[in-house]
Short mmCIF file of all heavy atoms in Angstrom, two decimals:
data_model
loop_
_atom_site.label_atom_id
_atom_site.label_comp_id
_atom_site.label_asym_id
_atom_site.label_seq_id
_atom_site.Cartn_x
_atom_site.Cartn_y
_atom_site.Cartn_z
N MET M 1 63.02 -101.94 -57.00
CA MET M 1 61.64 -102.19 -56.69
C MET M 1 61.51 -102.85 -55.32
O MET M 1 60.44 -102.90 -54.77
CB MET M 1 61.03 -103.08 -57.76
CG MET M 1 59.54 -103.20 -57.61
SD MET M 1 58.79 -103.93 -59.03
CE MET M 1 58.37 -105.51 -58.37
N ASN M 2 62.61 -103.29 -54.75
CA ASN M 2 62.58 -103.96 -53.47
C ASN M 2 62.36 -102.95 -52.34
O ASN M 2 63.16 -102.04 -52.14
CB ASN M 2 63.90 -104.71 -53.28
CG ASN M 2 63.89 -105.58 -52.06
OD1 ASN M 2 63.07 -105.42 -51.17
ND2 ASN M 2 64.83 -106.50 -52.00
N ILE M 3 61.29 -103.12 -51.60
CA ILE M 3 60.97 -102.19 -50.52
C ILE M 3 62.03 -102.21 -49.43
O ILE M 3 62.31 -101.19 -48.80
CB ILE M 3 59.57 -102.49 -49.95
CG1 ILE M 3 59.09 -101.33 -49.10
CG2 ILE M 3 59.55 -103.79 -49.18
CD1 ILE M 3 57.63 -101.40 -48.76
N VAL M 4 62.67 -103.35 -49.22
CA VAL M 4 63.71 -103.45 -48.20
C VAL M 4 64.89 -102.56 -48.57
O VAL M 4 65.49 -101.90 -47.71
CB VAL M 4 64.15 -104.92 -48.00
CG1 VAL M 4 65.33 -105.02 -47.07
CG2 VAL M 4 62.99 -105.76 -47.51
N GLU M 5 65.22 -102.48 -49.86
CA GLU M 5 66.30 -101.61 -50.30
C GLU M 5 65.99 -100.15 -49.99
O GLU M 5 66.87 -99.38 -49.61
CB GLU M 5 66.57 -101.79 -51.79
CG GLU M 5 67.20 -103.12 -52.14
CD GLU M 5 67.36 -103.32 -53.63
OE1 GLU M 5 67.12 -102.36 -54.40
OE2 GLU M 5 67.72 -104.43 -54.03
N GLN M 6 64.76 -99.76 -50.15
CA GLN M 6 64.38 -98.38 -49.86
C GLN M 6 64.47 -98.09 -48.36
O GLN M 6 64.89 -97.00 -47.96
CB GLN M 6 62.97 -98.11 -50.38
CG GLN M 6 62.91 -98.14 -51.89
CD GLN M 6 61.52 -97.88 -52.41
OE1 GLN M 6 60.67 -97.35 -51.71
NE2 GLN M 6 61.28 -98.25 -53.65
N ILE M 7 64.09 -99.05 -47.54
CA ILE M 7 64.19 -98.86 -46.09
C ILE M 7 65.66 -98.83 -45.67
O ILE M 7 66.06 -97.99 -44.86
CB ILE M 7 63.40 -99.94 -45.35
CG1 ILE M 7 61.90 -99.76 -45.65
CG2 ILE M 7 63.67 -99.90 -43.85
CD1 ILE M 7 61.01 -100.87 -45.16
N TRP M 8 66.48 -99.72 -46.25
CA TRP M 8 67.91 -99.70 -45.96
C TRP M 8 68.52 -98.36 -46.35
O TRP M 8 69.38 -97.82 -45.65
CB TRP M 8 68.64 -100.82 -46.69
CG TRP M 8 68.74 -102.09 -45.90
CD1 TRP M 8 68.18 -103.29 -46.22
CD2 TRP M 8 69.43 -102.30 -44.67
NE1 TRP M 8 68.47 -104.21 -45.26
CE2 TRP M 8 69.24 -103.63 -44.30
CE3 TRP M 8 70.19 -101.47 -43.84
CZ2 TRP M 8 69.80 -104.17 -43.13
CZ3 TRP M 8 70.73 -102.00 -42.68
CH2 TRP M 8 70.53 -103.35 -42.34
N ASP M 9 68.07 -97.81 -47.47
CA ASP M 9 68.58 -96.51 -47.92
C ASP M 9 68.26 -95.43 -46.89
O ASP M 9 69.12 -94.60 -46.56
CB ASP M 9 67.99 -96.17 -49.28
CG ASP M 9 68.54 -94.88 -49.84
OD1 ASP M 9 69.78 -94.77 -49.96
OD2 ASP M 9 67.75 -93.97 -50.15
N ALA M 10 67.05 -95.44 -46.38
CA ALA M 10 66.65 -94.46 -45.36
C ALA M 10 67.50 -94.63 -44.10
O ALA M 10 67.96 -93.64 -43.50
CB ALA M 10 65.17 -94.60 -45.04
N LEU M 11 67.73 -95.87 -43.69
CA LEU M 11 68.56 -96.13 -42.51
C LEU M 11 70.00 -95.68 -42.75
O LEU M 11 70.63 -95.06 -41.88
CB LEU M 11 68.53 -97.61 -42.15
CG LEU M 11 67.21 -98.17 -41.63
CD1 LEU M 11 67.29 -99.68 -41.47
CD2 LEU M 11 66.84 -97.51 -40.31
N GLN M 12 70.52 -95.98 -43.93
CA GLN M 12 71.90 -95.62 -44.25
C GLN M 12 72.09 -94.10 -44.21
O GLN M 12 73.06 -93.60 -43.63
CB GLN M 12 72.29 -96.15 -45.63
CG GLN M 12 73.72 -95.80 -46.01
CD GLN M 12 74.08 -96.30 -47.40
OE1 GLN M 12 73.21 -96.65 -48.19
NE2 GLN M 12 75.35 -96.32 -47.70
N ARG M 13 71.16 -93.36 -44.81
CA ARG M 13 71.25 -91.90 -44.79
C ARG M 13 71.22 -91.37 -43.37
O ARG M 13 71.98 -90.46 -43.02
CB ARG M 13 70.14 -91.29 -45.63
CG ARG M 13 70.45 -91.35 -47.12
CD ARG M 13 69.42 -90.62 -47.96
NE ARG M 13 68.37 -91.58 -48.31
CZ ARG M 13 67.10 -91.47 -48.00
NH1 ARG M 13 66.66 -90.41 -47.38
NH2 ARG M 13 66.24 -92.39 -48.34
N ALA M 14 70.38 -91.94 -42.52
CA ALA M 14 70.29 -91.48 -41.14
C ALA M 14 71.56 -91.80 -40.36
O ALA M 14 72.04 -90.98 -39.57
CB ALA M 14 69.08 -92.10 -40.46
N VAL M 15 72.14 -92.98 -40.58
CA VAL M 15 73.37 -93.37 -39.87
C VAL M 15 74.53 -92.49 -40.34
O VAL M 15 75.37 -92.07 -39.53
CB VAL M 15 73.69 -94.87 -40.08
CG1 VAL M 15 75.10 -95.21 -39.63
CG2 VAL M 15 72.68 -95.73 -39.33
N GLN M 16 74.58 -92.16 -41.62
CA GLN M 16 75.67 -91.32 -42.14
C GLN M 16 75.64 -89.91 -41.57
O GLN M 16 76.67 -89.24 -41.53
CB GLN M 16 75.61 -91.27 -43.66
CG GLN M 16 76.03 -92.55 -44.32
CD GLN M 16 75.86 -92.54 -45.82
OE1 GLN M 16 75.15 -91.71 -46.37
NE2 GLN M 16 76.51 -93.49 -46.49
N LYS M 17 74.49 -89.46 -41.10
CA LYS M 17 74.37 -88.13 -40.52
C LYS M 17 74.85 -88.08 -39.07
O LYS M 17 75.00 -87.01 -38.51
CB LYS M 17 72.91 -87.66 -40.57
CG LYS M 17 72.42 -87.37 -41.96
CD LYS M 17 70.97 -86.93 -41.92
CE LYS M 17 70.42 -86.72 -43.31
NZ LYS M 17 68.99 -86.37 -43.29
N ARG M 18 75.08 -89.25 -38.48
CA ARG M 18 75.46 -89.29 -37.06
C ARG M 18 76.88 -88.77 -36.87
O ARG M 18 77.75 -88.95 -37.71
CB ARG M 18 75.36 -90.71 -36.53
CG ARG M 18 73.92 -91.20 -36.47
CD ARG M 18 73.86 -92.64 -36.06
NE ARG M 18 74.19 -92.84 -34.67
CZ ARG M 18 73.29 -92.94 -33.69
NH1 ARG M 18 72.01 -92.88 -33.97
NH2 ARG M 18 73.67 -93.14 -32.45
N SER M 19 77.07 -88.12 -35.73
CA SER M 19 78.40 -87.62 -35.40
C SER M 19 78.67 -87.99 -33.95
O SER M 19 77.88 -87.64 -33.07
CB SER M 19 78.43 -86.11 -35.59
OG SER M 19 79.71 -85.63 -35.27
N PRO M 20 79.72 -88.71 -33.71
CA PRO M 20 80.69 -89.27 -34.64
C PRO M 20 80.11 -90.49 -35.36
O PRO M 20 79.20 -91.14 -34.85
CB PRO M 20 81.85 -89.70 -33.74
CG PRO M 20 81.21 -90.00 -32.42
CD PRO M 20 80.04 -89.05 -32.32
N PRO M 21 80.65 -90.79 -36.53
CA PRO M 21 80.14 -91.94 -37.28
C PRO M 21 80.52 -93.25 -36.57
O PRO M 21 81.51 -93.31 -35.85
CB PRO M 21 80.85 -91.84 -38.63
CG PRO M 21 82.08 -91.04 -38.36
CD PRO M 21 81.73 -90.11 -37.23
N PRO M 22 79.72 -94.29 -36.77
CA PRO M 22 80.07 -95.59 -36.16
C PRO M 22 81.36 -96.13 -36.78
O PRO M 22 81.54 -96.09 -38.00
CB PRO M 22 78.88 -96.48 -36.51
CG PRO M 22 78.12 -95.78 -37.57
CD PRO M 22 78.48 -94.35 -37.53
N LEU M 23 82.26 -96.59 -35.93
CA LEU M 23 83.58 -97.04 -36.40
C LEU M 23 83.75 -98.55 -36.35
O LEU M 23 84.57 -99.11 -37.07
CB LEU M 23 84.69 -96.38 -35.58
CG LEU M 23 84.72 -94.84 -35.65
CD1 LEU M 23 85.79 -94.29 -34.71
CD2 LEU M 23 84.96 -94.38 -37.07
N THR M 24 82.99 -99.21 -35.48
CA THR M 24 83.12 -100.67 -35.34
C THR M 24 81.79 -101.31 -35.71
O THR M 24 80.75 -100.63 -35.75
CB THR M 24 83.47 -101.05 -33.89
OG1 THR M 24 82.36 -100.73 -33.04
CG2 THR M 24 84.72 -100.32 -33.41
N PRO M 25 81.80 -102.60 -35.97
CA PRO M 25 80.52 -103.28 -36.25
C PRO M 25 79.51 -103.13 -35.11
O PRO M 25 78.31 -102.96 -35.37
CB PRO M 25 80.93 -104.74 -36.45
CG PRO M 25 82.35 -104.68 -36.91
CD PRO M 25 82.94 -103.50 -36.18
N ILE M 26 79.98 -103.16 -33.87
CA ILE M 26 79.06 -102.99 -32.74
C ILE M 26 78.47 -101.58 -32.74
O ILE M 26 77.28 -101.40 -32.50
CB ILE M 26 79.80 -103.27 -31.40
CG1 ILE M 26 80.27 -104.72 -31.34
CG2 ILE M 26 78.91 -102.93 -30.20
CD1 ILE M 26 79.16 -105.75 -31.35
N ASP M 27 79.31 -100.58 -33.03
CA ASP M 27 78.82 -99.19 -33.12
C ASP M 27 77.77 -99.06 -34.23
O ASP M 27 76.76 -98.38 -34.07
CB ASP M 27 79.96 -98.21 -33.40
CG ASP M 27 80.90 -98.05 -32.23
OD1 ASP M 27 80.53 -98.43 -31.09
OD2 ASP M 27 82.02 -97.54 -32.45
N LEU M 28 78.05 -99.72 -35.36
CA LEU M 28 77.11 -99.66 -36.48
C LEU M 28 75.79 -100.32 -36.10
O LEU M 28 74.72 -99.77 -36.39
CB LEU M 28 77.71 -100.34 -37.72
CG LEU M 28 76.81 -100.39 -38.94
CD1 LEU M 28 76.39 -98.99 -39.39
CD2 LEU M 28 77.53 -101.12 -40.08
N TRP M 29 75.86 -101.46 -35.45
CA TRP M 29 74.64 -102.16 -35.04
C TRP M 29 73.82 -101.29 -34.08
O TRP M 29 72.61 -101.16 -34.23
CB TRP M 29 75.00 -103.49 -34.39
CG TRP M 29 73.81 -104.26 -33.92
CD1 TRP M 29 73.45 -104.51 -32.65
CD2 TRP M 29 72.79 -104.84 -34.73
NE1 TRP M 29 72.28 -105.22 -32.60
CE2 TRP M 29 71.85 -105.44 -33.88
CE3 TRP M 29 72.58 -104.92 -36.09
CZ2 TRP M 29 70.73 -106.11 -34.34
CZ3 TRP M 29 71.45 -105.58 -36.56
CH2 TRP M 29 70.55 -106.16 -35.69
N THR M 30 74.50 -100.68 -33.13
CA THR M 30 73.83 -99.80 -32.18
C THR M 30 73.21 -98.60 -32.89
O THR M 30 72.06 -98.22 -32.61
CB THR M 30 74.82 -99.32 -31.10
OG1 THR M 30 75.36 -100.48 -30.44
CG2 THR M 30 74.15 -98.43 -30.07
N ALA M 31 73.95 -98.01 -33.82
CA ALA M 31 73.43 -96.87 -34.57
C ALA M 31 72.21 -97.26 -35.39
O ALA M 31 71.22 -96.51 -35.45
CB ALA M 31 74.52 -96.30 -35.48
N LEU M 32 72.26 -98.42 -36.04
CA LEU M 32 71.11 -98.88 -36.83
C LEU M 32 69.89 -99.09 -35.95
O LEU M 32 68.77 -98.73 -36.33
CB LEU M 32 71.46 -100.17 -37.58
CG LEU M 32 72.31 -99.99 -38.83
CD1 LEU M 32 72.81 -101.35 -39.32
CD2 LEU M 32 71.54 -99.28 -39.91
N GLN M 33 70.09 -99.67 -34.78
CA GLN M 33 68.97 -99.88 -33.86
C GLN M 33 68.38 -98.54 -33.42
O GLN M 33 67.16 -98.37 -33.38
CB GLN M 33 69.41 -100.69 -32.65
CG GLN M 33 69.66 -102.15 -32.97
CD GLN M 33 70.18 -102.90 -31.76
OE1 GLN M 33 70.93 -102.38 -30.94
NE2 GLN M 33 69.77 -104.16 -31.65
N ASP M 34 69.26 -97.60 -33.09
CA ASP M 34 68.79 -96.27 -32.67
C ASP M 34 68.01 -95.58 -33.78
O ASP M 34 66.94 -95.03 -33.55
CB ASP M 34 69.97 -95.39 -32.25
CG ASP M 34 70.64 -95.85 -30.97
OD1 ASP M 34 70.04 -96.66 -30.24
OD2 ASP M 34 71.77 -95.38 -30.71
N VAL M 35 68.57 -95.62 -34.98
CA VAL M 35 67.93 -94.96 -36.12
C VAL M 35 66.59 -95.62 -36.43
O VAL M 35 65.61 -94.95 -36.72
CB VAL M 35 68.87 -94.99 -37.35
CG1 VAL M 35 68.15 -94.62 -38.62
CG2 VAL M 35 70.05 -94.06 -37.12
N TRP M 36 66.55 -96.94 -36.37
CA TRP M 36 65.30 -97.67 -36.65
C TRP M 36 64.21 -97.24 -35.66
O TRP M 36 63.07 -97.00 -36.05
CB TRP M 36 65.54 -99.17 -36.58
CG TRP M 36 64.28 -99.95 -36.76
CD1 TRP M 36 63.55 -100.58 -35.80
CD2 TRP M 36 63.56 -100.16 -37.99
NE1 TRP M 36 62.45 -101.19 -36.35
CE2 TRP M 36 62.43 -100.94 -37.69
CE3 TRP M 36 63.78 -99.78 -39.31
CZ2 TRP M 36 61.51 -101.34 -38.65
CZ3 TRP M 36 62.88 -100.17 -40.28
CH2 TRP M 36 61.76 -100.94 -39.95
N CYS M 37 64.58 -97.13 -34.38
CA CYS M 37 63.60 -96.74 -33.36
C CYS M 37 63.15 -95.29 -33.52
O CYS M 37 62.05 -94.94 -33.11
CB CYS M 37 64.19 -96.95 -31.97
SG CYS M 37 64.38 -98.70 -31.55
N GLN M 38 63.99 -94.46 -34.12
CA GLN M 38 63.66 -93.05 -34.30
C GLN M 38 63.05 -92.75 -35.67
O GLN M 38 62.65 -91.61 -35.92
CB GLN M 38 64.91 -92.20 -34.11
CG GLN M 38 65.46 -92.27 -32.71
CD GLN M 38 66.81 -91.61 -32.59
OE1 GLN M 38 67.34 -91.05 -33.53
NE2 GLN M 38 67.40 -91.67 -31.40
N LEU M 39 63.00 -93.74 -36.54
CA LEU M 39 62.45 -93.53 -37.88
C LEU M 39 60.97 -93.18 -37.76
O LEU M 39 60.20 -93.92 -37.15
CB LEU M 39 62.62 -94.81 -38.71
CG LEU M 39 62.67 -94.70 -40.21
CD1 LEU M 39 63.85 -93.84 -40.65
CD2 LEU M 39 62.78 -96.07 -40.83
N PRO M 40 60.58 -92.04 -38.32
CA PRO M 40 59.18 -91.66 -38.20
C PRO M 40 58.27 -92.64 -38.93
O PRO M 40 58.56 -93.05 -40.06
CB PRO M 40 59.12 -90.28 -38.89
CG PRO M 40 60.52 -89.86 -39.11
CD PRO M 40 61.38 -91.07 -39.05
N PRO M 41 57.16 -93.03 -38.30
CA PRO M 41 56.23 -93.96 -38.96
C PRO M 41 55.75 -93.43 -40.31
O PRO M 41 55.51 -94.19 -41.23
CB PRO M 41 55.07 -94.08 -37.98
CG PRO M 41 55.63 -93.68 -36.66
CD PRO M 41 56.72 -92.69 -36.94
N GLU M 42 55.67 -92.10 -40.44
CA GLU M 42 55.22 -91.51 -41.71
C GLU M 42 56.19 -91.84 -42.84
O GLU M 42 55.78 -92.03 -43.98
CB GLU M 42 55.10 -89.99 -41.59
CG GLU M 42 54.14 -89.52 -40.54
CD GLU M 42 54.76 -89.50 -39.14
OE1 GLU M 42 55.95 -89.17 -39.00
OE2 GLU M 42 54.04 -89.84 -38.20
N GLN M 43 57.49 -91.90 -42.52
CA GLN M 43 58.48 -92.20 -43.56
C GLN M 43 58.29 -93.63 -44.07
O GLN M 43 58.32 -93.87 -45.27
CB GLN M 43 59.89 -91.98 -43.03
CG GLN M 43 60.96 -92.11 -44.10
CD GLN M 43 62.33 -91.72 -43.59
OE1 GLN M 43 62.51 -91.38 -42.42
NE2 GLN M 43 63.30 -91.77 -44.45
N LEU M 44 58.09 -94.56 -43.15
CA LEU M 44 57.85 -95.95 -43.57
C LEU M 44 56.53 -96.05 -44.33
O LEU M 44 56.45 -96.75 -45.35
CB LEU M 44 57.81 -96.88 -42.36
CG LEU M 44 59.15 -97.11 -41.66
CD1 LEU M 44 58.93 -97.94 -40.40
CD2 LEU M 44 60.12 -97.80 -42.58
N ARG M 45 55.51 -95.37 -43.85
CA ARG M 45 54.21 -95.39 -44.53
C ARG M 45 54.34 -94.85 -45.95
O ARG M 45 53.78 -95.41 -46.89
CB ARG M 45 53.20 -94.58 -43.73
CG ARG M 45 51.77 -94.77 -44.21
CD ARG M 45 50.75 -94.06 -43.34
NE ARG M 45 50.91 -94.37 -41.92
CZ ARG M 45 51.26 -93.47 -41.00
NH1 ARG M 45 51.46 -92.23 -41.32
NH2 ARG M 45 51.37 -93.82 -39.74
N THR M 46 55.11 -93.78 -46.12
CA THR M 46 55.30 -93.20 -47.45
C THR M 46 55.97 -94.19 -48.39
O THR M 46 55.56 -94.35 -49.54
CB THR M 46 56.15 -91.91 -47.34
OG1 THR M 46 55.47 -90.98 -46.52
CG2 THR M 46 56.39 -91.30 -48.71
N ILE M 47 57.00 -94.87 -47.89
CA ILE M 47 57.70 -95.87 -48.71
C ILE M 47 56.73 -96.98 -49.12
O ILE M 47 56.68 -97.38 -50.29
CB ILE M 47 58.90 -96.46 -47.94
CG1 ILE M 47 59.99 -95.39 -47.78
CG2 ILE M 47 59.46 -97.69 -48.66
CD1 ILE M 47 61.12 -95.79 -46.84
N ILE M 48 55.94 -97.47 -48.18
CA ILE M 48 55.01 -98.56 -48.45
C ILE M 48 53.90 -98.11 -49.41
O ILE M 48 53.57 -98.81 -50.37
CB ILE M 48 54.42 -99.10 -47.14
CG1 ILE M 48 55.53 -99.79 -46.34
CG2 ILE M 48 53.26 -100.06 -47.40
CD1 ILE M 48 55.17 -100.09 -44.90
N GLU M 49 53.35 -96.91 -49.18
CA GLU M 49 52.25 -96.43 -50.01
C GLU M 49 52.70 -96.10 -51.43
O GLU M 49 51.89 -96.12 -52.36
CB GLU M 49 51.61 -95.21 -49.36
CG GLU M 49 50.80 -95.58 -48.12
CD GLU M 49 50.27 -94.36 -47.39
OE1 GLU M 49 50.66 -93.22 -47.74
OE2 GLU M 49 49.49 -94.56 -46.44
N TYR M 50 53.97 -95.81 -51.62
CA TYR M 50 54.47 -95.48 -52.95
C TYR M 50 54.65 -96.72 -53.83
O TYR M 50 54.65 -96.61 -55.06
CB TYR M 50 55.81 -94.73 -52.85
CG TYR M 50 56.34 -94.32 -54.19
CD1 TYR M 50 55.75 -93.27 -54.89
CD2 TYR M 50 57.38 -95.00 -54.79
CE1 TYR M 50 56.22 -92.90 -56.14
CE2 TYR M 50 57.85 -94.64 -56.04
CZ TYR M 50 57.27 -93.59 -56.71
OH TYR M 50 57.72 -93.23 -57.94
N MET M 51 54.75 -97.89 -53.24
CA MET M 51 55.05 -99.10 -54.01
C MET M 51 54.08 -99.38 -55.16
O MET M 51 54.52 -99.69 -56.27
CB MET M 51 55.16 -100.32 -53.09
CG MET M 51 56.40 -100.31 -52.22
SD MET M 51 57.95 -100.09 -53.13
CE MET M 51 58.01 -101.60 -54.06
N PRO M 52 52.76 -99.27 -54.99
CA PRO M 52 51.87 -99.54 -56.13
C PRO M 52 52.13 -98.59 -57.32
O PRO M 52 52.13 -99.02 -58.47
CB PRO M 52 50.46 -99.31 -55.56
CG PRO M 52 50.60 -99.57 -54.11
CD PRO M 52 51.98 -99.08 -53.75
N ARG M 53 52.41 -97.32 -57.02
CA ARG M 53 52.73 -96.39 -58.12
C ARG M 53 54.04 -96.75 -58.77
O ARG M 53 54.19 -96.64 -59.99
CB ARG M 53 52.79 -94.95 -57.59
CG ARG M 53 51.40 -94.40 -57.28
CD ARG M 53 51.50 -92.97 -56.82
NE ARG M 53 51.92 -93.02 -55.41
CZ ARG M 53 52.50 -92.04 -54.76
NH1 ARG M 53 52.75 -90.90 -55.35
NH2 ARG M 53 52.84 -92.17 -53.50
N HIS M 54 55.01 -97.19 -57.97
CA HIS M 54 56.31 -97.57 -58.52
C HIS M 54 56.16 -98.80 -59.43
O HIS M 54 56.73 -98.85 -60.53
CB HIS M 54 57.28 -97.86 -57.39
CG HIS M 54 58.66 -98.16 -57.83
ND1 HIS M 54 59.41 -97.31 -58.62
CD2 HIS M 54 59.44 -99.24 -57.63
CE1 HIS M 54 60.59 -97.85 -58.86
NE2 HIS M 54 60.62 -99.03 -58.27
N VAL M 55 55.39 -99.77 -58.99
CA VAL M 55 55.15 -100.97 -59.80
C VAL M 55 54.44 -100.59 -61.11
O VAL M 55 54.80 -101.08 -62.18
CB VAL M 55 54.34 -102.02 -59.02
CG1 VAL M 55 53.88 -103.15 -59.93
CG2 VAL M 55 55.17 -102.56 -57.87
N ALA M 56 53.46 -99.70 -61.03
CA ALA M 56 52.75 -99.26 -62.23
C ALA M 56 53.71 -98.57 -63.21
O ALA M 56 53.64 -98.80 -64.43
CB ALA M 56 51.61 -98.31 -61.86
N THR M 57 54.62 -97.77 -62.70
CA THR M 57 55.61 -97.11 -63.54
C THR M 57 56.50 -98.13 -64.23
O THR M 57 56.79 -98.02 -65.43
CB THR M 57 56.47 -96.14 -62.71
OG1 THR M 57 55.62 -95.17 -62.12
CG2 THR M 57 57.52 -95.45 -63.56
N LEU M 58 56.92 -99.15 -63.50
CA LEU M 58 57.75 -100.20 -64.09
C LEU M 58 57.00 -100.97 -65.17
O LEU M 58 57.56 -101.31 -66.22
CB LEU M 58 58.23 -101.17 -63.01
CG LEU M 58 59.28 -100.63 -62.05
CD1 LEU M 58 59.51 -101.61 -60.91
CD2 LEU M 58 60.58 -100.35 -62.78
N LEU M 59 55.73 -101.24 -64.93
CA LEU M 59 54.94 -101.96 -65.93
C LEU M 59 54.78 -101.13 -67.20
O LEU M 59 54.87 -101.66 -68.31
CB LEU M 59 53.57 -102.34 -65.36
CG LEU M 59 53.58 -103.41 -64.28
CD1 LEU M 59 52.19 -103.58 -63.68
CD2 LEU M 59 54.09 -104.73 -64.84
N ARG M 60 54.55 -99.82 -67.04
CA ARG M 60 54.44 -98.95 -68.22
C ARG M 60 55.75 -98.88 -68.99
O ARG M 60 55.76 -98.78 -70.21
CB ARG M 60 54.01 -97.54 -67.80
CG ARG M 60 52.53 -97.39 -67.55
CD ARG M 60 52.11 -95.93 -67.46
NE ARG M 60 52.87 -95.18 -66.46
CZ ARG M 60 52.58 -95.11 -65.16
NH1 ARG M 60 51.53 -95.77 -64.70
NH2 ARG M 60 53.31 -94.40 -64.34
N ALA M 61 56.87 -98.93 -68.26
CA ALA M 61 58.18 -98.84 -68.91
C ALA M 61 58.60 -100.17 -69.54
O ALA M 61 59.59 -100.22 -70.26
CB ALA M 61 59.23 -98.40 -67.89
N ARG M 62 57.86 -101.22 -69.25
CA ARG M 62 58.13 -102.56 -69.79
C ARG M 62 59.57 -103.00 -69.54
O ARG M 62 60.26 -103.50 -70.43
CB ARG M 62 57.82 -102.60 -71.27
CG ARG M 62 56.36 -102.36 -71.53
CD ARG M 62 56.04 -102.43 -72.98
NE ARG M 62 54.63 -102.07 -73.12
CZ ARG M 62 53.98 -102.17 -74.23
NH1 ARG M 62 54.59 -102.60 -75.32
NH2 ARG M 62 52.73 -101.84 -74.30
N GLY M 63 60.03 -102.74 -68.33
CA GLY M 63 61.35 -103.21 -67.94
C GLY M 63 62.48 -102.25 -68.24
O GLY M 63 63.62 -102.50 -67.85
N CYS M 64 62.21 -101.18 -68.94
CA CYS M 64 63.25 -100.19 -69.23
C CYS M 64 63.52 -99.38 -67.96
O CYS M 64 62.68 -99.31 -67.06
CB CYS M 64 62.82 -99.26 -70.35
SG CYS M 64 62.62 -100.12 -71.92
N PRO M 65 64.69 -98.75 -67.88
CA PRO M 65 65.00 -97.95 -66.68
C PRO M 65 63.98 -96.84 -66.47
O PRO M 65 63.43 -96.28 -67.43
CB PRO M 65 66.37 -97.36 -66.99
CG PRO M 65 66.94 -98.24 -68.03
CD PRO M 65 65.79 -98.78 -68.82
N THR M 66 63.70 -96.54 -65.21
CA THR M 66 62.77 -95.46 -64.85
C THR M 66 63.44 -94.56 -63.84
O THR M 66 64.42 -94.93 -63.19
CB THR M 66 61.48 -96.02 -64.21
OG1 THR M 66 61.82 -96.66 -63.00
CG2 THR M 66 60.77 -96.98 -65.14
N ARG M 67 62.91 -93.36 -63.73
CA ARG M 67 63.33 -92.45 -62.68
C ARG M 67 62.13 -92.16 -61.81
O ARG M 67 61.05 -91.89 -62.31
CB ARG M 67 63.83 -91.13 -63.28
CG ARG M 67 65.17 -91.29 -63.94
CD ARG M 67 65.67 -90.04 -64.54
NE ARG M 67 65.29 -88.86 -63.76
CZ ARG M 67 65.61 -87.64 -64.10
NH1 ARG M 67 66.28 -87.43 -65.18
NH2 ARG M 67 65.24 -86.61 -63.37
N TYR M 68 62.32 -92.26 -60.50
CA TYR M 68 61.22 -91.96 -59.59
C TYR M 68 61.69 -91.11 -58.46
O TYR M 68 62.81 -90.92 -58.21
CB TYR M 68 60.52 -93.20 -59.07
CG TYR M 68 61.38 -94.11 -58.26
CD1 TYR M 68 61.41 -94.00 -56.89
CD2 TYR M 68 62.15 -95.10 -58.85
CE1 TYR M 68 62.19 -94.84 -56.13
CE2 TYR M 68 62.93 -95.93 -58.10
CZ TYR M 68 62.93 -95.80 -56.74
OH TYR M 68 63.70 -96.64 -55.97
#
């Protein structure tokens, strides 16, 4: 339910697609900065706008696992 986890997931997927992959912590930091700057605003907006529906699904499930 954590929105930060969803954003990290989007960043991770984008970094994993890079060729060559980052090999050092500095390379990873640079890749994350590049990916963050290139992340389409629509993708962030979609993640943010989905949160109320996700919370509603969790409330209906009463804490049980959900798929979204």
Side-chain angles (χ1 to χ4, degrees):
M1 189 168 108
N2 187 342
I3 195 167
V4 174
E5 290 176 8
Q6 293 180 19
I7 294 171
W8 269 116
D9 183 56
L11 292 173
Q12 180 182 16
R13 281 186 270 120
V15 167
Q16 288 175 343
K17 291 179 184 176
R18 292 175 71 97
S19 180
L23 300 175
T24 67
I26 297 297
D27 290 343
L28 178 58
W29 179 249
T30 302
L32 283 169
Q33 287 177 325
D34 291 345
V35 167
W36 176 256
C37 290
Q38 296 171 2
L39 205 61
E42 301 82 37
Q43 187 173 2
L44 290 174
R45 191 175 309 115
T46 300
I47 291 171
I48 293 166
E49 288 174 352
Y50 182 74
M51 289 307 293
R53 286 183 281 159
H54 184 57
V55 170
T57 301
L58 289 172
L59 290 173
R60 280 193 305 274
R62 297 181 184 188
C64 296
T66 64
R67 287 180 34 180
Y68 63 93

